[in-house]
Coordinates of all heavy atoms in Angstrom, one line a residue:
M232 N -11.1 108.2 177.7 CA -12.0 109.3 177.8 C -13.4 108.7 178.3 O -13.8 107.6 177.8 CB -12.2 109.9 176.4 CG -13.2 111.0 176.5 SD -13.5 112.0 174.9 CE -11.9 112.3 174.4
L233 N -14.0 109.4 179.2 CA -15.3 109.1 179.7 C -16.3 109.9 178.9 O -16.2 111.1 178.8 CB -15.4 109.4 181.2 CG -14.4 108.8 182.1 CD1 -14.6 109.3 183.5 CD2 -14.4 107.3 182.0
V234 N -17.3 109.2 178.3 CA -18.3 109.9 177.5 C -19.6 109.9 178.3 O -20.2 108.8 178.5 CB -18.5 109.3 176.1 CG1 -19.5 110.1 175.3 CG2 -17.1 109.3 175.4
L235 N -20.1 111.1 178.6 CA -21.4 111.2 179.3 C -22.5 111.1 178.3 O -22.4 111.5 177.2 CB -21.5 112.5 180.1 CG -20.8 112.5 181.5 CD1 -19.3 112.4 181.3 CD2 -21.1 113.8 182.2
P236 N -23.7 110.6 178.8 CA -24.8 110.4 177.9 C -25.5 111.8 177.5 O -25.3 112.8 178.2 CB -25.7 109.5 178.6 CG -25.5 109.8 180.1 CD -24.0 110.1 180.1
A237 N -26.4 111.7 176.6 CA -27.2 112.9 176.2 C -28.1 113.4 177.3 O -28.3 114.6 177.5 CB -28.0 112.6 174.9
E238 N -28.6 112.4 178.1 CA -29.5 112.8 179.2 C -28.8 112.2 180.5 O -28.5 111.0 180.6 CB -30.9 112.2 179.0 CG -31.8 112.5 180.2 CD -33.2 112.1 179.9 OE1 -33.6 111.8 178.7 OE2 -34.0 112.0 180.9
L239 N -28.6 113.1 181.5 CA -28.1 112.7 182.7 C -28.8 113.4 183.9 O -28.4 114.5 184.3 CB -26.6 113.0 182.8 CG -25.8 112.5 184.0 CD1 -26.1 111.1 184.4 CD2 -24.3 112.7 183.8
T240 N -29.9 112.8 184.3 CA -30.7 113.3 185.4 C -30.6 112.2 186.5 O -29.9 111.2 186.4 CB -32.1 113.5 185.0 OG1 -32.7 112.3 184.6 CG2 -32.2 114.5 183.8
H241 N -31.3 112.5 187.6 CA -31.3 111.6 188.8 C -31.7 110.2 188.4 O -31.1 109.2 188.9 CB -32.3 112.1 189.8 CG -32.4 111.3 191.0 ND1 -31.4 111.3 192.0 CD2 -33.4 110.4 191.4 CE1 -31.8 110.4 192.9 NE2 -32.9 109.9 192.6
A242 N -32.6 110.0 187.4 CA -33.0 108.7 187.0 C -31.8 107.9 186.4 O -31.8 106.6 186.5 CB -34.1 108.8 185.9
Q243 N -30.9 108.5 185.7 CA -29.8 107.8 185.1 C -28.5 107.8 185.9 O -27.5 107.1 185.5 CB -29.5 108.4 183.7 CG -30.6 108.4 182.7 CD -31.5 109.6 182.8 OE1 -31.2 110.6 183.4 NE2 -32.7 109.4 182.3
A244 N -28.4 108.7 186.9 CA -27.1 108.9 187.5 C -26.4 107.7 188.1 O -25.2 107.5 187.9 CB -27.3 110.0 188.6
G245 N -27.2 106.9 188.8 CA -26.5 105.7 189.4 C -25.9 104.8 188.4 O -24.7 104.4 188.5
A246 N -26.7 104.4 187.4 CA -26.1 103.5 186.4 C -25.0 104.1 185.6 O -24.0 103.5 185.3 CB -27.3 103.1 185.4
C247 N -25.2 105.4 185.3 CA -24.1 106.1 184.5 C -22.8 106.2 185.3 O -21.8 105.9 184.8 CB -24.6 107.5 184.2 SG -23.4 108.5 183.3
L248 N -22.9 106.5 186.6 CA -21.7 106.6 187.4 C -21.0 105.2 187.5 O -19.8 105.2 187.4 CB -22.1 107.1 188.8 CG -20.9 107.2 189.8 CD1 -19.8 108.1 189.2 CD2 -21.4 107.6 191.1
S249 N -21.8 104.2 187.6 CA -21.2 102.8 187.7 C -20.4 102.5 186.4 O -19.2 102.1 186.5 CB -22.3 101.8 187.8 OG -22.5 101.5 189.1
M250 N -21.0 102.8 185.3 CA -20.3 102.6 184.0 C -19.0 103.5 183.8 O -18.0 103.0 183.4 CB -21.2 102.8 182.8 CG -22.3 101.7 182.7 SD -23.3 101.8 181.2 CE -23.8 103.5 181.2
L251 N -19.2 104.7 184.2 CA -18.0 105.6 184.1 C -16.9 105.3 185.0 O -15.7 105.3 184.6 CB -18.5 107.1 184.4 CG -19.4 107.7 183.3 CD1 -19.9 109.0 183.8 CD2 -18.8 107.8 182.0
V252 N -17.2 104.9 186.2 CA -16.1 104.5 187.2 C -15.4 103.2 186.7 O -14.2 103.1 186.8 CB -16.7 104.3 188.6 CG1 -15.7 103.6 189.5 CG2 -17.1 105.7 189.2
Q253 N -16.2 102.3 186.1 CA -15.5 101.1 185.6 C -14.6 101.4 184.5 O -13.5 100.9 184.4 CB -16.6 100.1 185.1 CG -17.3 99.4 186.2 CD -18.4 98.5 185.6 OE1 -18.4 98.1 184.4 NE2 -19.4 98.1 186.5
A254 N -15.0 102.3 183.6 CA -14.2 102.7 182.4 C -13.0 103.5 182.9 O -11.9 103.3 182.4 CB -15.0 103.6 181.5
L255 N -13.2 104.3 183.9 CA -12.1 105.1 184.5 C -11.0 104.2 185.1 O -9.8 104.4 184.9 CB -12.7 106.0 185.6 CG -11.8 107.1 186.2 CD1 -12.7 108.2 186.7 CD2 -11.0 106.6 187.4
R256 N -11.4 103.2 185.8 CA -10.5 102.2 186.4 C -9.7 101.4 185.4 O -8.5 101.0 185.6 CB -11.2 101.3 187.3 CG -11.7 102.0 188.6 CD -12.4 101.1 189.5 NE -12.9 101.8 190.7 CZ -13.8 101.4 191.5 NH1 -14.4 100.2 191.2 NH2 -14.2 102.1 192.5
R257 N -10.3 101.2 184.2 CA -9.6 100.4 183.1 C -8.7 101.3 182.3 O -7.7 100.8 181.7 CB -10.6 99.8 182.2 CG -11.4 98.6 182.7 CD -12.1 97.9 181.7 NE -13.0 98.8 180.9 CZ -14.3 99.0 181.1 NH1 -14.9 98.4 182.1 NH2 -15.0 99.8 180.4
D258 N -8.9 102.6 182.3 CA -8.1 103.5 181.5 C -6.7 103.7 182.1 O -6.6 104.1 183.3 CB -8.8 104.9 181.5 CG -8.2 105.8 180.4 OD1 -7.2 105.5 179.9 OD2 -8.8 106.9 180.2
A259 N -5.7 103.5 181.3 CA -4.3 103.6 181.8 C -3.8 105.0 181.7 O -2.7 105.3 182.2 CB -3.4 102.7 180.9
E260 N -4.5 105.9 181.1 CA -4.0 107.3 181.0 C -3.9 108.0 182.3 O -4.7 107.7 183.3 CB -5.0 108.1 180.1 CG -5.0 107.6 178.7 CD -3.7 107.8 177.9 OE1 -3.0 108.8 178.1 OE2 -3.4 106.9 177.1
S261 N -3.0 108.9 182.5 CA -2.8 109.6 183.7 C -3.7 110.8 183.9 O -3.9 111.3 184.9 CB -1.3 110.1 183.9 OG -1.0 111.0 182.8
L262 N -4.4 111.2 182.7 CA -5.4 112.2 182.8 C -6.7 111.7 182.3 O -6.8 111.2 181.2 CB -4.9 113.4 181.9 CG -5.9 114.6 181.8 CD1 -6.1 115.3 183.1 CD2 -5.5 115.6 180.7
V263 N -7.7 111.8 183.1 CA -9.1 111.4 182.8 C -9.8 112.6 182.2 O -9.9 113.6 182.8 CB -9.8 110.8 184.0 CG1 -11.3 110.5 183.6 CG2 -9.1 109.7 184.6
V264 N -10.3 112.4 180.9 CA -11.1 113.4 180.3 C -12.6 112.9 180.2 O -12.9 111.9 179.7 CB -10.6 113.7 178.8 CG1 -11.5 114.7 178.2 CG2 -9.1 114.1 178.9
A265 N -13.4 113.7 180.9 CA -14.9 113.4 180.8 C -15.5 114.3 179.8 O -15.5 115.5 179.9 CB -15.5 113.7 182.2
D266 N -16.0 113.7 178.7 CA -16.6 114.4 177.6 C -18.1 114.6 177.8 O -18.8 113.6 177.7 CB -16.3 113.6 176.3 CG -16.8 114.4 175.1 OD1 -17.5 115.5 175.2 OD2 -16.5 113.9 174.0
A267 N -18.5 115.8 178.1 CA -19.9 116.1 178.4 C -20.5 116.8 177.3 O -21.6 117.4 177.4 CB -19.9 117.0 179.7
S268 N -19.9 116.8 176.1 CA -20.4 117.6 175.0 C -21.8 117.2 174.5 O -22.5 117.9 173.9 CB -19.4 117.7 173.8 OG -19.1 116.4 173.4
A269 N -22.1 115.9 174.7 CA -23.4 115.4 174.2 C -24.5 115.6 175.3 O -25.7 115.4 174.9 CB -23.3 113.9 173.9
T270 N -24.1 115.9 176.5 CA -25.1 116.0 177.5 C -25.9 117.3 177.4 O -25.3 118.4 177.7 CB -24.4 115.9 178.9 OG1 -23.6 114.8 178.9 CG2 -25.4 115.9 180.0
V271 N -27.2 117.2 177.1 CA -28.0 118.4 176.9 C -29.2 118.4 177.8 O -29.8 119.5 178.0 CB -28.4 118.6 175.4 CG1 -27.2 118.9 174.5 CG2 -29.1 117.3 174.9
V272 N -29.6 117.3 178.3 CA -30.7 117.2 179.3 C -30.1 116.7 180.6 O -29.5 115.6 180.7 CB -31.8 116.2 178.8 CG1 -32.8 116.0 179.9 CG2 -32.4 116.6 177.5
F273 N -30.1 117.6 181.6 CA -29.4 117.2 182.9 C -30.1 118.0 184.0 O -30.8 118.9 183.9 CB -27.9 117.6 182.8 CG -27.7 119.0 182.3 CD1 -27.7 120.1 183.3 CD2 -27.4 119.3 181.0 CE1 -27.5 121.4 182.8 CE2 -27.2 120.6 180.6 CZ -27.2 121.6 181.5
D274 N -29.7 117.5 185.2 CA -30.0 118.3 186.5 C -28.8 118.2 187.3 O -27.7 117.9 186.8 CB -31.3 117.7 187.1 CG -31.1 116.2 187.6 OD1 -30.0 115.7 187.6 OD2 -32.2 115.6 187.8
S275 N -28.9 118.6 188.6 CA -27.7 118.6 189.4 C -27.1 117.3 189.6 O -25.9 117.2 190.0 CB -28.1 119.2 190.8 OG -29.1 118.5 191.4
S276 N -27.8 116.2 189.3 CA -27.2 114.9 189.4 C -26.0 114.7 188.4 O -25.0 114.0 188.7 CB -28.2 113.8 189.0 OG -29.3 113.8 190.0
A277 N -26.0 115.5 187.3 CA -24.9 115.4 186.4 C -23.6 115.9 187.1 O -22.5 115.4 186.9 CB -25.2 116.2 185.1
L278 N -23.8 117.0 187.9 CA -22.6 117.5 188.6 C -22.1 116.5 189.7 O -20.9 116.3 189.8 CB -23.0 118.8 189.4 CG -23.2 120.0 188.5 CD1 -23.6 121.2 189.4 CD2 -21.9 120.3 187.8
A279 N -23.1 115.8 190.3 CA -22.7 114.8 191.3 C -21.9 113.7 190.6 O -20.9 113.2 191.2 CB -23.9 114.2 192.0
V280 N -22.3 113.3 189.4 CA -21.6 112.2 188.7 C -20.2 112.7 188.3 O -19.2 111.9 188.5 CB -22.4 111.8 187.4 CG1 -21.6 110.9 186.5 CG2 -23.7 111.0 187.8
L281 N -20.1 113.9 187.8 CA -18.8 114.4 187.5 C -17.9 114.5 188.7 O -16.7 114.2 188.6 CB -18.9 115.8 186.8 CG -19.4 115.8 185.4 CD1 -19.8 117.2 184.9 CD2 -18.4 115.1 184.4
L282 N -18.4 115.0 189.8 CA -17.6 115.1 191.0 C -17.2 113.7 191.5 O -16.0 113.6 192.0 CB -18.4 115.9 192.1 CG -18.5 117.4 191.8 CD1 -19.5 118.0 192.7 CD2 -17.2 118.1 191.8
A283 N -18.0 112.7 191.4 CA -17.7 111.4 191.9 C -16.6 110.8 191.0 O -15.7 110.1 191.5 CB -18.9 110.5 191.9
C284 N -16.7 111.1 189.7 CA -15.6 110.6 188.7 C -14.3 111.3 189.1 O -13.3 110.7 189.1 CB -16.0 110.9 187.3 SG -17.3 109.8 186.7
R285 N -14.4 112.6 189.4 CA -13.2 113.3 189.8 C -12.5 112.7 191.0 O -11.3 112.5 191.1 CB -13.5 114.8 190.0 CG -12.3 115.6 190.5 CD -12.7 117.0 190.9 NE -11.6 117.8 191.4 CZ -11.2 117.8 192.7 NH1 -11.9 117.1 193.6 NH2 -10.2 118.5 193.1
R286 N -13.4 112.4 192.0 CA -12.9 111.8 193.3 C -12.2 110.5 193.0 O -11.1 110.2 193.5 CB -14.1 111.6 194.2 CG -14.2 112.5 195.3 CD -15.2 112.1 196.4 NE -16.4 111.6 195.9 CZ -17.5 112.3 195.6 NH1 -17.4 113.6 195.6 NH2 -18.6 111.7 195.1
E287 N -12.8 109.7 192.1 CA -12.2 108.3 191.8 C -10.9 108.5 191.1 O -9.9 107.8 191.3 CB -13.2 107.5 190.9 CG -12.8 106.2 190.6 CD -12.7 105.2 191.8 OE1 -13.4 105.5 192.8 OE2 -11.9 104.3 191.8
A288 N -10.9 109.4 190.1 CA -9.6 109.7 189.4 C -8.5 110.1 190.3 O -7.4 109.6 190.2 CB -9.9 110.8 188.3
L289 N -8.8 111.1 191.2 CA -7.8 111.5 192.1 C -7.3 110.4 193.1 O -6.2 110.3 193.4 CB -8.3 112.7 192.9 CG -8.6 114.0 192.1 CD1 -9.1 115.1 193.0 CD2 -7.3 114.4 191.3
A290 N -8.3 109.6 193.5 CA -7.9 108.4 194.4 C -7.0 107.5 193.6 O -6.2 106.8 194.3 CB -9.2 107.7 194.8
L291 N -7.1 107.4 192.3 CA -6.2 106.5 191.5 C -4.9 107.3 191.1 O -4.1 106.7 190.3 CB -7.0 106.0 190.3 CG -8.1 105.1 190.6 CD1 -8.9 104.8 189.4 CD2 -7.6 103.8 191.2
G292 N -4.7 108.5 191.5 CA -3.5 109.3 191.2 C -3.6 109.9 189.8 O -2.5 110.1 189.2
K293 N -4.8 110.1 189.3 CA -4.9 110.6 187.9 C -5.5 112.0 188.0 O -6.1 112.4 189.0 CB -5.9 109.8 187.1 CG -5.5 108.3 187.0 CD -6.5 107.5 186.2 CE -6.1 106.1 186.0 NZ -6.9 105.4 185.1
G294 N -5.2 112.8 187.0 CA -5.8 114.1 186.8 C -7.2 114.0 186.3 O -7.6 112.9 185.8
F295 N -7.9 115.1 186.3 CA -9.3 115.0 185.8 C -9.7 116.4 185.2 O -9.5 117.4 185.8 CB -10.3 114.7 187.0 CG -11.7 114.6 186.6 CD1 -12.2 113.4 186.0 CD2 -12.6 115.7 186.7 CE1 -13.5 113.3 185.6 CE2 -13.9 115.6 186.3 CZ -14.4 114.4 185.8
V296 N -10.2 116.3 184.0 CA -10.7 117.5 183.3 C -12.1 117.2 182.6 O -12.3 116.0 182.3 CB -9.8 118.1 182.3 CG1 -8.5 118.6 182.9 CG2 -9.4 117.1 181.2
V297 N -12.8 118.2 182.3 CA -14.1 118.0 181.6 C -14.0 118.7 180.3 O -13.6 119.9 180.2 CB -15.3 118.6 182.4 CG1 -16.6 118.4 181.7 CG2 -15.3 118.0 183.8
R298 N -14.5 118.1 179.2 CA -14.5 118.6 177.9 C -16.0 118.8 177.5 O -16.8 118.0 177.7 CB -13.9 117.7 176.9 CG -13.9 118.2 175.5 CD -13.4 117.2 174.5 NE -12.0 117.0 174.8 CZ -11.3 116.0 174.3 NH1 -11.8 115.0 173.6 NH2 -10.0 115.9 174.6
G299 N -16.3 120.0 176.9 CA -17.6 120.2 176.3 C -18.7 120.4 177.4 O -19.8 120.1 177.2
L300 N -18.3 121.0 178.5 CA -19.3 121.3 179.5 C -20.3 122.3 179.1 O -20.0 123.4 178.7 CB -18.6 121.8 180.8 CG -19.4 121.9 182.1 CD1 -19.9 120.5 182.5 CD2 -18.6 122.5 183.2
H301 N -21.6 122.0 179.1 CA -22.7 122.9 178.6 C -22.7 124.1 179.5 O -22.4 124.0 180.7 CB -24.0 122.1 178.8 CG -25.1 122.8 178.1 ND1 -25.8 123.9 178.6 CD2 -25.8 122.5 176.9 CE1 -26.7 124.3 177.8 NE2 -26.7 123.5 176.8
A302 N -22.9 125.3 178.9 CA -22.9 126.5 179.7 C -23.9 126.5 180.9 O -23.5 127.0 181.9 CB -23.3 127.7 178.7
R303 N -25.0 125.9 180.7 CA -26.0 125.9 181.9 C -25.4 125.0 183.0 O -25.6 125.3 184.1 CB -27.3 125.4 181.4 CG -28.1 126.4 180.6 CD -29.5 126.0 180.3 NE -29.5 124.8 179.4 CZ -30.1 123.7 179.6 NH1 -30.9 123.5 180.7 NH2 -30.1 122.7 178.7
L304 N -24.8 123.9 182.6 CA -24.2 123.0 183.6 C -23.0 123.7 184.3 O -22.8 123.6 185.5 CB -23.8 121.7 183.0 CG -23.4 120.5 184.0 CD1 -24.5 120.3 185.0 CD2 -23.2 119.3 183.2
A305 N -22.2 124.5 183.6 CA -21.1 125.2 184.1 C -21.7 126.3 185.1 O -21.1 126.5 186.2 CB -20.3 125.9 183.0
S306 N -22.8 126.9 184.7 CA -23.4 127.9 185.6 C -23.9 127.2 186.9 O -23.8 127.8 188.0 CB -24.6 128.6 184.9 OG -24.1 129.4 183.9
L307 N -24.5 126.1 186.8 CA -25.0 125.3 187.9 C -23.8 125.0 188.9 O -23.9 125.1 190.1 CB -25.7 124.1 187.5 CG -26.5 123.3 188.5 CD1 -27.6 124.2 189.0 CD2 -27.2 122.1 187.8
A308 N -22.7 124.6 188.3 CA -21.5 124.3 189.1 C -21.0 125.5 189.8 O -20.6 125.4 191.0 CB -20.4 123.7 188.2
Q309 N -21.1 126.7 189.1 CA -20.6 127.9 189.8 C -21.6 128.3 190.9 O -21.2 128.7 192.0 CB -20.6 129.0 188.7 CG -20.0 130.3 189.3 CD -19.7 131.3 188.2 OE1 -20.3 131.2 187.1 NE2 -19.0 132.3 188.5
L310 N -22.9 128.1 190.7 CA -23.9 128.4 191.7 C -23.7 127.5 192.9 O -23.8 128.0 194.1 CB -25.3 128.1 191.1 CG -26.5 128.3 192.1 CD1 -26.7 129.7 192.4 CD2 -27.7 127.7 191.5
Y311 N -23.3 126.3 192.8 CA -23.1 125.4 193.9 C -21.7 125.5 194.5 O -21.3 124.8 195.4 CB -23.3 123.9 193.5 CG -24.8 123.6 193.3 CD1 -25.1 122.7 192.2 CD2 -25.8 124.1 194.1 CE1 -26.5 122.4 192.0 CE2 -27.1 123.8 193.9 CZ -27.4 122.9 192.9 OH -28.8 122.6 192.7
G312 N -20.8 126.3 193.9 CA -19.5 126.6 194.4 C -18.5 125.4 194.1 O -17.5 125.3 194.8
V313 N -18.7 124.7 193.0 CA -17.9 123.5 192.7 C -17.2 123.7 191.4 O -16.5 122.7 190.9 CB -18.6 122.2 192.8 CG1 -19.1 121.9 194.2 CG2 -19.7 122.1 191.8
S314 N -17.3 124.8 190.7 CA -16.7 125.0 189.4 C -15.2 124.8 189.4 O -14.7 124.2 188.4 CB -17.1 126.3 188.8 OG -16.7 127.4 189.6
E315 N -14.5 125.2 190.4 CA -13.1 125.0 190.5 C -12.7 123.5 190.6 O -11.5 123.2 190.3 CB -12.4 125.8 191.6 CG -12.8 125.3 193.0 CD -14.1 125.7 193.5 OE1 -14.8 126.6 192.9 OE2 -14.5 125.2 194.6
L316 N -13.6 122.7 191.0 CA -13.3 121.2 191.1 C -13.5 120.5 189.7 O -13.1 119.4 189.6 CB -14.2 120.6 192.1 CG -14.1 121.1 193.5 CD1 -15.1 120.4 194.4 CD2 -12.7 120.9 194.1
L317 N -14.0 121.2 188.7 CA -14.3 120.6 187.4 C -13.6 121.5 186.4 O -14.2 122.2 185.6 CB -15.8 120.6 187.2 CG -16.6 119.8 188.1 CD1 -18.1 119.9 187.9 CD2 -16.2 118.3 188.1
P318 N -12.3 121.4 186.3 CA -11.5 122.1 185.3 C -12.0 121.7 183.9 O -12.1 120.6 183.6 CB -10.1 121.8 185.5 CG -10.1 120.5 186.3 CD -11.4 120.5 187.0
V319 N -12.1 122.8 183.0 CA -12.6 122.5 181.7 C -11.5 122.5 180.7 O -10.6 123.4 180.8 CB -13.6 123.6 181.3 CG1 -14.1 123.5 179.8 CG2 -14.8 123.6 182.2
Q320 N -11.4 121.5 179.9 CA -10.4 121.4 178.8 C -11.0 122.0 177.6 O -12.1 121.8 177.2 CB -10.1 119.9 178.6 CG -9.0 119.7 177.5 CD -8.8 118.2 177.2 OE1 -9.8 117.5 177.0 NE2 -7.6 117.8 177.3
G321 N -10.2 122.9 177.0 CA -10.6 123.6 175.8 C -10.9 122.8 174.7 O -11.8 122.6 174.0

C-alpha cells in the first residue's frame, strides 16, 4: 500500500512521487492501493502524483486503486476529466 502524506502540494510533489514509486516497485502485490485518507492539504499536484503512480503501476502490469480520496480531490479529478483514471476502493 502506498500512503500519501497529510500535505501534498507542489512543494512536496517531487519528493513524494519519488518515494511512492520506489515503494510501488518493491511491492509484490498485483494491485497497488494508494491510501489518500490522510491527505487533507493538497492542490492539483496531488492528482499529478496519483496519476504518475497509476502510470508506473500499469507499466509494471499491476492494477491501481485509490482509497480514502478526499471529496474535494475527487471533485478536482472530475473537473480535470481524470476521475475515471483513479478508481476509488470502498
Side-chain angles (χ1 to χ4, degrees):
M232 180 178 314
L233 305 178
V234 180
L235 278 68
E238 183 173 343
L239 184 48
T240 61
H241 180 73
Q243 299 86 20
C247 179
L248 179 58
S249 269
M250 290 187 312
L251 292 173
V252 167
Q253 286 177 19
L255 189 153
R256 289 177 180 163
R257 286 191 309 263
D258 191 352
E260 297 294 321
S261 62
L262 178 65
V263 175
V264 178
D266 185 353
S268 58
T270 307
V271 292
V272 176
F273 53 83
D274 60 18
S275 60
S276 298
L278 287 179
V280 167
L281 285 169
L282 290 168
C284 287
R285 176 187 178 271
R286 258 190 318 275
E287 184 67 24
L289 294 179
L291 294 171
K293 300 179 180 191
F295 183 82
V296 295
V297 181
R298 177 185 296 161
L300 191 63
H301 193 284
R303 287 186 294 127
L304 193 52
S306 292
L307 196 57
Q309 187 171 16
L310 176 69
Y311 289 141
V313 298
S314 57
E315 69 280 352
L316 300 176
L317 300 173
V319 176
Q320 183 184 50

